Amino acid sequence: MPFVWGITVAILGGLATDLGPWYQALKEPFWKPPDAAFGPIWSTIFILSGMAWYGAKHFTSDPKVLSRLTILFWLNGFLNLLWSILYFRFQRPDWSLYEAVFLWLSVLAILLTIRKLSTRYSLYMLPYLIWVTIAIALNWDTVRLNGPFT
């Protein structure tokens, strides 16, 4: 299940991402990483997240905990995809900024749930939490530099 989740979210997120003329015309903050860095960063995050989920599952046989992990990961995947749709397809970085807070909270919830099972595997979620924090700052600067959006 963890690897199906990672592959599904990565593929759907990639399909929802449109780097066409609208995106190219956006003013970007000076500190934004190059577009080519996003694929490897997200790939690494999904691999580590899948490893965290897979590893944490071996520390419990409690169906409630396993169900909670599954729900949290699929909710996180939905929120990850929704961010891409709001930002790229609807061309609404302002809406995606609000949504990113829920994405961040979902990553934190996963990290804290896994931490109860294994500190080691919870640390695999830390790059995801850090990256979404950076993405929120980047999203904020993009809205600031380009808004208002209609």
Side-chain angles (χ1 to χ4, degrees):
M1 183 69 74
F3 298 104
V4 171
W5 167 84
I7 291 169
T8 301
V9 175
I11 289 172
L12 292 176
L15 292 172
T17 301
D18 180 2
L19 302 181
W22 173 82
Y23 175 78
Q24 297 300 325
L26 288 174
K27 296 175 194 149
E28 298 176 332
F30 72 91
W31 59 272
K32 179 188 166 278
D35 290 335
F38 286 82
I41 290 169
W42 278 113
S43 296
T44 302
I45 285 169
F46 289 137
I47 289 167
L48 290 172
S49 298
M51 291 169 59
W53 187 5
Y54 183 79
K57 285 174 48 171
H58 290 34
F59 285 90
T60 185
S61 58
D62 182 344
K64 287 182 182 178
V65 174
L66 294 172
S67 178
R68 179 182 168 131
L69 266 179
T70 301
I71 290 168
L72 284 172
F73 268 98
W74 284 104
L75 173 63
N76 172 267
F78 169 77
L79 291 170
N80 194 299
L81 178 59
L82 180 59
W83 185 93
S84 295
I85 291 169
L86 292 172
Y87 192 99
F88 293 106
R89 295 295 170 182
F90 290 171
Q91 299 178 353
R92 294 301 305 248
D94 51 343
W95 292 354
S96 67
L97 179 60
Y98 292 114
E99 191 275 349
V101 173
F102 295 100
L103 176 60
W104 188 91
L105 289 170
S106 76
V107 177
L108 180 63
I110 292 169
L111 188 150
L112 293 175
T113 299
I114 292 175
R115 186 168 178 234
K116 292 176 185 174
L117 304 172
S118 166
T119 301
R120 173 184 167 207
Y121 284 109
S122 71
L123 293 176
Y124 287 28
M125 294 300 298
L126 200 52
Y128 195 173
L129 192 65
I130 292 167
W131 181 247
V132 173
T133 303
I134 293 167
I136 288 172
L138 179 57
N139 199 159
W140 170 262
D141 273 356
T142 301
V143 169
R144 186 180 55 79
L145 291 169
N146 294 280
F149 296 90
T150 57

